[in-house]
Every structure is written in C-alpha cells, then in structure tokens.
Amino acid sequence: MQAILEAIQAGASGEEIGNLQVPESYRAAFVKRDEQTMWEGVASEDKDPRQSLHVGEVATPELAPDEVYVAVMASAINFNTVWTSIFEPLSTFGFLDRLGKESKWGARHALPYHVVGSDASGVVVRVGSAVRNWKPGDKVTVHCNYLDDQDPSAHDDSMLAANQRIWGFESNFGGLADLALVKANQLMPKPAHLTWEEAACNALCNSTSYRMIVSRHAGDLKQGEAVLIWGATGGIGGYAVQYVLNGGGTPVGVVSSEKRANLLREMGCEHVIDRREKDYKFWKDEHTQDESEWRRLGKDIRGLIGRDVDTVFEHPGRSTFGASVFAAARGGKIVTCAATSGYMIEYDNRHLWMKLKSIVSSHFANYKEAWAANQLICEGKVQPLLSKTFSLEQTGEAALAVHKNQIEGKAGVLCLAPEAGLGIDDPEFRAKVGEDKITLFQRFGA
Ligand code: NDP
C-alpha cells in the first residue's frame, strides 16, 4: 500500500492512481473465528477488546463488478465494533456465514477472520466494471448501508431491503484497514474542508441521527419541538443535538459529567441534565422499575423547558426505556435505534396507549438520507464530532475506550494517513466554517 499512499500524497492523477497495482494483502483490524467463544462466562464490562481485536495482514478479496477498492486514510470506532469485539449479543461470524451462502460474491466474506469497521475516508483506487459514477482518485467517505439493489425490496426505502446489512459489521472487509472493499452505492464525496480523520468519523453516526431526527421515516422533527437526547455528547447523540438545533427545535441533552455538560452548552444546547448528579434510579432492582424516578425525570425536564418533550432520542435501552416512554409528551414519540444496556425492554404500556404515544424504530439510513447528512457536513452546517485519534495498531485500545464510555463524540483511527491533520483541500472554507466549531470535540477530548 506504500506506493498508493505515496501517489496520493504526491497528488497523482486519478489515471496514475488507477494504474498502480493493488497489493495481494493489506493491513487490517480483525477478530478471529476460532476466538469467538473466548469470553464465555465473562461479564460484558470485563471483556477487553484489546485481546480480541488483532492487527495484521489479510488477503485482498477479488473485486466484484459493482464494487470499488478504497485506500483508507482514516476510519473510526463505532459501537458495532465494540459489539463484534466482545462477541455480543451474537458473534458476527454468523452474519458472514449467511452472506456467504447468498452468492458467489457473498462467499468471499465467510472467512476465519472478520475485518471490522463501518466508517472510512480515503481515495478510490480501482472500480469494478459496472461502476459508473466514481473513478480512481476520487476522495470519498463511505456509508455503511450494504445491500443488493437487484432485489425489489430495496427500492422504496432501502433500509427495508430484505438483504440489508451494515458493512464492516454484517459484512467482511470493513474500514479499519488500509484497504476497504466497498459497493459503489456506499460512496459519498469527502468534505473538502476536513482532515481525513474528521471526515472519517461521521457517516455512520451522522446518518443514523439524521434519520432518527430529520427524516420522515423516523423523527420528522418540526420547528419548535422539544427532544430529549440520551448520551447527548456521544456518537449519535452529538449529531442529534445539532439536528434539533438546526431544525428549530429544543434539545434537552442528558450526559453523565460536568465536562460533558459544559461541552453540550458550548454546542448551543441550553438545557442540560447531568444524570450522574441527578442519580436517577429507574430500576429498584434487576426486575422492578420505579415510577417515582420516571416522574422525577419528567419534573426535571419541565423545570428546564416548561413542558414535556415531543420526542425522545432513545438508545441506552433497558436502563432508560421505561423512563423514556413516561417522559414523552401526550402524542409524542420515542425513536429508538439501539439498546446498549440491554435489549429486553420493559415499559408501562398504560403510559403509551392512554397518551397516544408511539415507539418508532430506526436503523442507520438509506443512501439518500446518508447523502443528505454528508452534504450538511460538506456545507459546514453539521460539524464532525472527532475528539480523539488512535493509530490502526491501537484499534483495540480505541474500542476499549468506547466500551468504557470514556470518549466524547467519536474516536478516529488513522489507517494509511501517516499523521493526524492531513487531507484538508479547502482551507478557505474551513476558515469560513470556523476552526473552533470544527474542532470543538477535539479540544474537549484533549
Ligand atoms: P457512544 O458510546 O458514543 O455514546 C452513547 C452514550 O450514551 C454514552 O456516551 C452515554 O453518555 C450514554 N449512555 C450509555 N449507557 C447509558 C445508560 N445506561 N443510561 C443512560 N445513558 C447511557 O455510542 P453511540 O452514540 O455511537 O451509540 C449508542 C448506541 O446506538 C450503541 O448501542 C450503538 O450500537 C447504537 N447505534 C445504532 C445504530 C443503528 O443504526 N441502529 C447506529 C449507531 C449506533 P453519558 O454517559 O454522557 O450519559
């Protein structure tokens, strides 16, 4: 990959880059099939991704006609890489085996190792024979909606496609590597004013939050609506705050430290709840919730904004879901995309049906939504949430930090990029957007 990196750094033309040889193997972060039972009997919080995530050479897969190879300059850690690395709730090798049975091209994915990572920024180095809109030399970011668009189910909302997958989680050859295998319909232009690592950290979380807050498929936010955002300085929460503010809504952000509360205020989120300080005990014990604690949260929200929230941005899952259903206003909605603390959810259904509330499910984003979310980054209207940057060799350490809730916003990972800070093609626009705004999380993460 060294020759490709040197060509990119020297500003070689697309034609020159396209003529370079793609190596037969490349450096990647992966988990191993023969280690998928290594954590049996170990509590989630004690599982250390540094032991299960390895960095080494893997063979370059054959390129399908609708795919491209991307020389990955930078990637990012998403919570799905934490899930893969602790083999919870399932080992991802089951996903790869299912994909492996689908077609000749799917069979490439069922291997003894799983190259992880669902975000990337980089440069296209080779395109398959059916690729029309992209060419070698294009600077791109990659979104993770991975699907077979020859299936009719993919042609209304592609998140409803029967074979929809998350790239680098439910497929192999993901972004935490020097080279990635990507379908052409995952590509988006790299924001020219951002560094490689600032550009790499957005697509998965930004697109997810766009759908959850903005899209008619989920949040469909209207001006003036109030939204309770759990984990408001986290990966998806930090983008959600920006979408609510941009859309004329009122975010109420929940975080767990004074530092994060200050960061939220810097983002322009006036209404902040520090859940550690409030010490909510939504669960009396493992089996019993405490409605008086839900009421305390509702009272705290009303104390801040004078009313209930129209929407709850829900992802912690079991620990908060009962409170989220309670706290939404009459006729309001709970938009959920995850269950970090447990997926067997309990809530009091009376609070749902008597007050005509709805639970809306959301999962990543279709290409159009991901593109719209990327465009907002390109236009400087949504800022990257990069707070800390790791090397590819440190992927396990970075995943551990996310697992332990030690990262604000996003953890970036340098792949081919030899150092942080490279890749800015439009410094004038960067200055116009504002260095302070772009690097807010980096300054707080430092
Ligand atoms: P992060 O770790 O970056 O942020 C999550 C934040 O949520 C934490 O920082 C923490 O903030 C808060 N949080 C965690 N546990 C609890 C809890 N028990 N109660 C209240 N708050 C809690 O993760 P992401 O934002 O990237 O992802 C969040 C979840 O969403 C993950 O489970 C992830 O897998 C899922 N996800 C799903 C997607 C989809 O397409 N379906 C896409 C992206 C993510 P604090 O401590 O400050 O309150």
Side-chain angles (χ1 to χ4, degrees), residues 157-179:
D157 170 11
S158 63
M159 287 308 295
L160 296 179
N163 48 25
Q164 191 279 330
R165 292 182 163 87
I166 298 296
W167 166 71
F169 178 62
E170 294 164 290
S171 78
N172 215 323
F173 318 121
L176 284 160
D178 289 342
L179 191 80

Side-chain angles (χ1 to χ4, degrees), residues 377-416:
I377 302 260
C378 289
E379 291 175 9
K381 291 175 181 154
V382 171
Q383 307 309 330
L385 299 183
L386 181 78
S387 69
K388 210 167 172 192
T389 303
F390 296 81
S391 69
L392 186 62
E393 306 295 333
Q394 295 171 315
T395 298
E397 198 178 306
L400 177 67
V402 173
H403 185 30
K404 296 276 176 205
N405 191 10
Q406 290 164 350
I407 300 280
E408 283 79 42
K410 300 294 304 172
V413 175
L414 297 178
C415 299
L416 281 174

Side-chain angles (χ1 to χ4, degrees), residues 23-42:
E24 285 176 5
S25 70
Y26 63 96
R27 192 176 60 130
F30 54 85
V31 292
K32 293 180 180 171
R33 188 184 288 268
D34 63 9
E35 290 183 352
Q36 61 186 320
T37 54
M38 68 190 280
W39 301 121
E40 267 173 12
V42 178

Side-chain angles (χ1 to χ4, degrees), residues 70 120-124 134 138-142 187-190 196 199:
V70 174
S121 68
V123 178
V124 174
W134 304 92
D138 286 346
K139 295 181 178 177
V140 295
T141 58
V142 179
L187 297 176
M188 309 189 292
K190 173 192 170 284
W196 292 113

Side-chain angles (χ1 to χ4, degrees), residues 410-429:
K410 300 294 304 172
V413 175
L414 297 178
C415 299
L416 281 174
E419 59 190 87
L422 304 175
I424 299 170
D425 287 326
D426 192 344
E428 288 80 25
F429 185 64

Side-chain angles (χ1 to χ4, degrees), residues 60-372:
T60 304
E62 191 185 344
L63 189 69
D66 61 347
E67 291 175 343
V68 311
Y69 291 131
V70 174
V72 182
M73 300 302 282
S75 182
I77 302 294
N78 284 292
F79 217 93
N80 65 7
T81 290
V82 176
W83 295 125
T84 301
S85 70
I86 62 174
F87 303 104
E88 282 191 32
L90 296 165
S91 160
T92 47
F93 286 98
F95 302 141
L96 303 187
D97 292 343
R98 224 164 299 143
L99 174 55
K101 289 186 189 121
E102 267 184 16
S103 67
K104 165 192 161 189
W105 298 111
R108 294 169 300 168
H109 294 255
L111 292 169
Y113 55 85
H114 183 185
V115 177
V116 291
S118 301
D119 266 320
S121 68
V123 178
V124 174
V125 291
R126 194 75 91 247
V127 301
S129 58
V131 174
R132 295 171 296 280
N133 298 343
W134 304 92
K135 56 184 187 323
D138 286 346
K139 295 181 178 177
V140 295
T141 58
V142 179
H143 78 75
C144 63
N145 185 13
Y146 181 94
L147 53 90
D148 180 351
D149 54 16
Q150 291 178 17
D151 192 287
S153 61
H155 286 271
D156 179 5
D157 170 11
S158 63
M159 287 308 295
L160 296 179
N163 48 25
Q164 191 279 330
R165 292 182 163 87
I166 298 296
W167 166 71
F169 178 62
E170 294 164 290
S171 78
N172 215 323
F173 318 121
L176 284 160
D178 289 342
L179 191 80
L181 185 72
V182 169
K183 286 187 189 256
N185 63 12
Q186 291 178 254
L187 297 176
M188 309 189 292
K190 173 192 170 284
H193 64 296
L194 299 183
T195 65
W196 292 113
E197 60 279 11
E198 288 164 353
C201 75
N202 305 303
L204 189 145
C205 285
N206 183 37
S207 313
T208 301
S209 298
Y210 179 91
R211 184 173 173 113
M212 287 181 77
I213 298 288
V214 181
S215 168
R216 69 186 161 87
H217 289 122
D220 203 13
L221 179 87
K222 302 285 185 299
Q223 288 188 28
E225 288 185 349
V227 183
L228 181 74
I229 301 171
W230 293 105
T233 59
I236 52 175
Y239 294 103
V241 168
Q242 297 186 65
Y243 283 119
V244 175
L245 287 170
N246 287 0
T250 303
V252 179
V254 186
V255 287
S256 65
S257 70
E258 186 55 33
K259 179 188 180 195
R260 291 179 179 185
N262 288 335
L263 176 54
L264 257 187
R265 290 190 191 98
E266 283 271 328
M267 291 175 80
C269 179
E270 192 185 326
H271 307 294
V272 178
I273 294 176
D274 181 341
R275 67 182 173 101
R276 287 267 161 84
E277 183 192 75
K278 294 285 180 184
D279 197 24
Y280 299 117
K281 299 264 190 291
F282 299 138
W283 289 83
K284 284 184 197 163
D285 59 49
E286 213 183 308
H287 307 288
T288 327
Q289 295 198 60
D290 185 347
E291 180 162 333
S292 67
E293 287 291 279
W294 302 347
R295 289 186 185 281
R296 190 154 71 86
L297 171 68
K299 201 169 160 211
D300 288 340
I301 294 168
R302 267 175 252 123
L304 288 170
I305 61 168
R307 60 192 172 99
D308 294 326
V309 287
D310 303 284
T311 299
V312 181
F313 183 87
E314 169 55 54
H315 52 92
R318 185 170 170 83
S319 59
T320 55
F321 208 92
S324 295
V325 169
F326 179 83
R330 184 178 282 268
K333 56 189 163 212
I334 299 92
V335 182
T336 175
C337 76
T340 314
S341 65
Y343 51 83
M344 295 305 280
I345 302 295
E346 283 177 40
Y347 62 89
D348 186 333
N349 205 25
R350 292 169 298 178
H351 291 304
L352 191 81
W353 98 69
M354 294 292 286
K355 295 197 173 157
L356 294 310
K357 304 178 189 183
S358 15
I359 295 172
V360 179
S361 59
S362 193
H363 185 40
F364 187 60
N366 62 36
Y367 195 4
K368 198 165 177 220
E369 290 162 340
W371 189 281

